[in-house]
Amino acid sequence: MTDTTTPSNPSGTASAAAELIARSNRLGADPKNTNYAGGNTSAKGTETDPVTGEPVELLWVKGSGGDLGTLTESGLAVLRLDRMRALVDVYPGVEREDEMVAAFDYCLHGKGGAAPSIDTAMHGLVDAAHVDHLHPDSGIAIATAADGEALTKEIFGDRVVWVPWRRPGFQLGLDIAAIKEQNPQAVGCVLGGHGITAWGDTSEETERNSLWIIDTAAAHIAEHSKAAPFGPPLEGYAALPAEERRARAAALAPTIRGIASADRPMVGHFTDADVVLDFLAAAEHPRLAALGTSCPDHFLRTKVKPLVLDLPATATVEESIARLHELAAAYREDYQAYYDRHATPDSPAIRGKDPLIVLVPGVGMFSFGKDKQTARVAGEFYVNAINVMRGAEGLSTYQPIDESEKFRIEYWALEEAKLQRMPKPKPLATRVAIVTGAASGIGRATAEKLAAEGACVVIADLSLEKAQAAAADIGGADIAVGVQVDVSDAAAVEAAVQAAVLAFGGLDLVVNNAGLSLSRSLLETTEKDWDLQHDVMAKGSFLVAKAAAKVMIEQGMGGDIVYISSKNSVFAGPNNVAYGAAKADQAHQVRLLAAELGEHAIKVNGVNPDGVVQGSGIFASGWGANRAAVYGVEEKDLGKFYAQRTILKREVLPANIANAVFVLCSAELSHTTGLHIPVDAGVPAAFLR
Ligand SMILES: NC(=O)c1ccc[n+]([C@@H]2O[C@H](COP(=O)([O-])OP(=O)(O)OC[C@H]3O[C@@H](n4cnc5c(N)ncnc54)[C@H](O)[C@@H]3O)[C@@H](O)[C@H]2O)c1
Ligand SMILES: [Zn+2]
């Protein structure tokens, strides 16, 4: 193994890899330098071969996948330079250049580190100690300008050389190596339709050259761009006021997610960043959006082009929804035609015809992916594309690579192989869940379980702070978010469902868990007690189910609603009239809604827990002490006491309830609705019949 960090490393070139990582992290930290996970960097140096004791020349290069900003040593591929360069002698020509990727495996040093990427040839063949290949918006703007070659000369003189578009691979590496040799004065090149490559004798010099190309291109654009690169403002297409556009986005989101998920379910991301709104407010946006993106990184993430709603922001929600459905049908036909135009008998099968980017003038951009991170990055990529188009149109005319070349990237056999190697998705991947009362106890355990099984989770509870803290414990904003809600307040429930829809694009899974328990005899139960129990549990779950079902029906993707009712929904426990009656109400909602929502493929089921002491706020806030006193046991032993009353003699934990919720929502119970599962370790008095 290459230990590049040991200071006592005899050759002293351990620092080459360390310098490479530091430089990559700096470059990757600033989005002006490259898109997320885009570009790659390398260093060459000498180490002692542990087998021969002789010096050996090595190439460290960022491997396939991962981001420069967070690159660590495990993300580097390590190759023997002599063997890598010897590949030139067996290279069979551009028609078979893809075969060279497999040949890289025969050049690895030691275990080789990360898998070498397609750009390895460029890094190894260019005769420079350090090489950066980046996708900066400013550089791609020049690379996609119709007269990019002339602009490169005008901006950089002979210091940066134009390389016509060529799909990344071994041949592109040979081309760039030749250009460097023929232009000893050059510090880098602009790769037509794609990005930039820079080099230097030291890491520092290379970084300086990369930044000089990026900043010089940006400065040239700033100074020479025409005033309104996207054209004059379009009447009615200006951004709606912030609150109005978020409400509009939430109203359109279920329809849009349904459209993006026609072939396979997707998680969504929404942004109303100025850069998007400004683009959509200008006259040229339909023409430019139709031209599509250009940088090779984009096609799998954003598809060739977005779906653009061709109505002004002044259109009504109903008009917008009707038009979106028409445009979606046209998009699918258009995508099929694109596939048919370019596919050859050995092309991978079509991967789905739905848009990944949907643009709504005055409102913003929806982007989609197999999980939240992928959806968010797709949106970031389209923002990159807008920046590129602005730069290119400002100086010249935006001219991305030919459609046939886009297809060669999107349906590249090497990309397909990468997709095939992806791990199987988790059971609840792409599903968006909202769990009420999830800052504590059973709700929290349920949110954790759903997230662990791949769902995106919205934690809704009375306290925003506690909801956010629970969400942060479960994962970052790509996995869980916390929102404030009082489920007995219809407006608050609407707002929480809106927040869920804006966070993840839609909603598939609802857990009506929020609750509280007052144990009082009939004569002690006040009207207020009765109302509180019924407001939170009976009315609260009705309101949540109603708001969520509206979203699910509009999405057309089915869904699950799960009620956490109780043993007490069927068992007449002592001193329990308000709580027990509210639980019985919830249990009957399960049956009523199962019958009503089935035609929309929405399943409604329930779980009947009992005696969940650990983690339960209900037990901690006096109810437990009261019960313990009634039974003559210590409060801390209450769980064990309850266990002894059960058939299985087992204590019921929040995780046991969470598992039942998961099973009800999983594919295994796809044909079950209107069911309650008791999770009580066996209580004969609460058997269902
Ligand atoms: N613990 C048990 O033994 C048991 C047994 C049967 C049923 N249940 C039911 O399970 C559910 C969860 O109970 P738990 O034991 O985890 O209790 P818990 O007190 O730990 O959690 C309940 C959560 O609901 C929240 N909540 C209360 N009122 C709300 C409102 N108006 N709007 C939004 N959130 C609200 C609370 O803030 C709390 O975070 C309840 O519906 C309860 O009736 C619990
Ligand atoms: Zn590239």
Side-chain angles (χ1 to χ4, degrees):
M1 272 304 289
T2 315
D3 181 351
T4 51
T5 50
T6 314
S8 61
N9 189 297
S11 67
T13 55
S15 58
E19 283 174 341
L20 168 63
I21 288 170
R23 172 173 100 243
S24 305
N25 293 164
R26 279 193 300 273
L27 288 169
D30 189 339
K32 81 168 188 211
N33 294 331
T34 202
N35 56 338
Y36 176 80
N40 30 60
T41 49
S42 67
K44 303 180 184 79
T46 309
E47 281 209 351
T48 304
D49 187 334
V51 175
T52 61
E54 298 294 317
V56 57
E57 271 195 287
L58 299 177
L59 167 71
W60 292 269
V61 56
K62 177 184 164 275
S64 196
D67 182 56
L68 285 179
T70 53
L71 182 70
T72 59
E73 200 167 335
S74 63
L76 294 176
V78 192
L79 292 90
R80 280 185 50 164
L81 202 55
D82 56 344
R83 291 181 66 82
M84 201 258 120
R85 287 183 169 165
L87 291 176
V88 172
D89 302 329
V90 296
Y91 175 53
V94 69
E95 293 306 315
R96 287 170 53 197
E97 65 172 347
D98 284 0
E99 293 169 24
M100 305 310 282
V101 174
F104 291 147
D105 285 353
Y106 295 86
C107 310
L108 298 177
H109 179 64
K111 289 183 181 162
S117 83
I118 188 74
D119 289 323
T120 302
M122 169 185 2
H123 289 276
L125 298 177
V126 167
D127 187 18
H130 291 261
V131 177
D132 290 339
H133 166 61
L134 301 166
H135 299 158
D137 293 345
S138 66
I140 306 178
I142 309 301
T144 55
D147 53 351
E149 182 166 8
L151 278 170
T152 302
K153 201 162 269 154
E154 183 189 332
I155 300 170
F156 302 105
D158 63 357
R159 301 262 290 154
V160 176
V161 184
W162 173 262
V163 183
W165 160 258
R166 180 186 284 289
R167 189 172 73 172
F170 204 83
Q171 187 61 49
L172 184 64
L174 286 171
D175 291 358
I176 296 175
I179 276 172
K180 159 130 185 10
E181 206 176 311
Q182 290 151 15
N183 297 274
Q185 78 293 342
V187 301
C189 49
V190 170
L191 311 182
H194 176 171
I196 67 162
T197 294
W199 48 75
D201 293 334
T202 64
S203 183
E204 196 228 324
E205 184 188 324
T206 305
E207 185 170 351
R208 202 165 359 124
N209 289 341
S210 291
L211 294 174
W212 176 72
I213 296 174
I214 294 164
D215 295 341
T216 304
H220 186 89
I221 293 167
E223 197 176 325
H224 299 275
S225 173
K226 61 174 161 239
F230 294 145
L234 262 185
E235 182 73 29
Y237 281 68
L240 295 170
E243 214 159 288
E244 207 179 311
R245 68 175 179 256
R246 299 202 58 93
R248 176 67 67 97
L252 297 178
T255 299
I256 293 175
R257 179 167 181 242
I259 284 171
S261 303
D263 283 329
R264 62 179 55 111
M266 292 281 171
V267 175
H269 175 74
F270 172 73
T271 177
D272 55 358
D274 286 347
V275 48
V276 173
L277 294 170
D278 291 349
F279 175 63
L280 294 174
E284 295 300 322
H285 84 262
R287 171 181 66 85
L288 291 167
L291 286 173
T293 49
S294 189
C295 179
D297 271 354
H298 281 241
F299 303 109
L300 285 175
R301 298 265 198 180
T302 66
K303 280 234 169 82
V304 235
K305 57 179 145 181
L307 185 159
V308 190
L309 177 60
D310 53 0
L311 291 179
T314 46
T316 65
V317 169
E318 292 68 29
E319 287 164 350
S320 300
I321 287 178
R323 184 62 185 146
L324 280 164
H325 283 298
E326 289 170 7
L327 291 168
Y331 189 97
R332 288 173 61 83
E333 259 175 48
D334 186 56
Y335 188 84
Q336 181 73 56
Y338 153 78
Y339 180 86
D340 294 342
R341 268 197 300 283
H342 302 293
T344 57
D346 51 358
S347 291
I350 192 164
R351 291 196 197 100
K353 298 182 263 196
D354 306 318
L356 291 170
I357 304 286
V358 177
L359 301 169
V360 182
V363 178
M365 168 171 63
F366 296 85
S367 53
F368 294 91
K370 66 182 166 64
D371 53 32
K372 175 66 183 182
Q373 198 248 17
T374 311
R376 184 169 51 70
V377 170
E380 283 172 18
F381 275 32
Y382 201 76
V383 167
N384 289 129
I386 293 174
N387 290 337
V388 165
M389 291 187 279
R390 191 192 310 100
E393 287 280 308
L395 298 180
S396 162
T397 305
Y398 174 63
Q399 188 183 297
I401 60 172
D402 285 351
E403 188 186 88
S404 58
E405 288 295 297
K406 294 180 182 183
F407 183 87
R408 283 183 71 224
I409 302 263
E410 189 176 351
Y411 286 94
W412 198 346
L414 291 172
E415 289 289 358
E416 178 71 8
K418 256 200 251 171
L419 292 175
Q420 297 300 337
R421 283 197 301 269
M422 295 271 209
K424 198 170 157 275
K426 292 181 178 171
L428 298 183
T430 76
R431 302 197 72 186
V432 181
I434 185 165
V435 184
T436 66
S440 169
I442 291 171
R444 184 180 169 128
T446 301
E448 279 167 6
K449 175 66 178 172
L450 299 179
E453 298 294 346
C456 303
V457 186
V458 177
I459 311 270
D461 210 309
L462 285 172
S463 149
L464 177 64
E465 227 185 350
K466 286 185 187 160
Q468 287 178 335
D473 284 350
I474 290 176
D478 286 346
I479 295 170
V481 299
V483 302
Q484 196 276 329
V485 74
D486 175 350
V487 294
S488 64
D489 172 348
V493 168
E494 281 292 339
V497 168
Q498 268 202 11
V501 163
L502 288 179
F504 296 115
L507 197 53
D508 308 293
L509 212 160
V510 176
V511 184
N512 270 320
N513 165 80
L516 75 166
S517 175
L518 309 167
S519 172
R520 296 195 181 137
S521 69
L522 173 63
L523 298 190
E524 283 171 332
T525 301
T526 64
E527 191 180 343
K528 209 168 139 228
D529 294 341
W530 175 271
D531 285 345
L532 178 60
Q533 292 280 223
H534 283 76
D535 280 352
V536 174
M537 303 201 298
K539 178 176 154 190
S541 44
F542 150 71
L543 291 174
V544 172
K546 182 176 166 178
K550 180 169 187 291
V551 172
M552 290 180 187
I553 291 168
E554 275 175 26
Q555 274 177 172
M557 298 165 67
D560 275 285
I561 303 179
V562 180
Y563 281 65
I564 307 301
S565 347
S566 170
K567 173 198 78 172
N568 290 304
S569 67
V570 292
F571 173 74
N575 297 342
N576 217 2
V577 63
Y579 180 82
K583 284 293 170 191
D585 182 316
Q586 284 189 305
H588 203 49
Q589 285 185 36
V590 167
R591 293 180 280 265
L592 292 163
L593 298 188
E596 183 176 330
L597 298 175
E599 65 169 300
H600 304 289
I602 300 170
K603 296 158 31 208
V604 187
N605 293 292
V607 180
N608 286 351
D610 187 44
V612 185
V613 179
Q614 278 189 40
S616 166
I618 289 179
F619 275 92
S621 56
W623 165 258
N626 167 302
R627 292 288 101 183
V630 167
Y631 300 124
V633 297
E634 281 198 53
E635 192 181 347
K636 70 170 175 44
D637 296 326
L638 195 59
K640 289 194 199 77
F641 173 78
Y642 280 136
Q644 289 318 307
R645 298 194 313 188
T646 66
I647 300 173
L648 298 173
K649 306 267 183 271
R650 301 187 72 173
E651 181 171 353
V652 185
L653 302 175
N656 301 127
I657 318 300
N659 289 342
V661 175
F662 163 62
V663 170
L664 283 169
C665 303
S666 68
E668 281 74 9
L669 286 193
S670 58
H671 290 54
T672 296
T673 191
L675 172 78
H676 274 90
I677 301 184
V679 184
D680 55 10
V683 177
F687 279 172
L688 298 171
R689 57 184 68 82

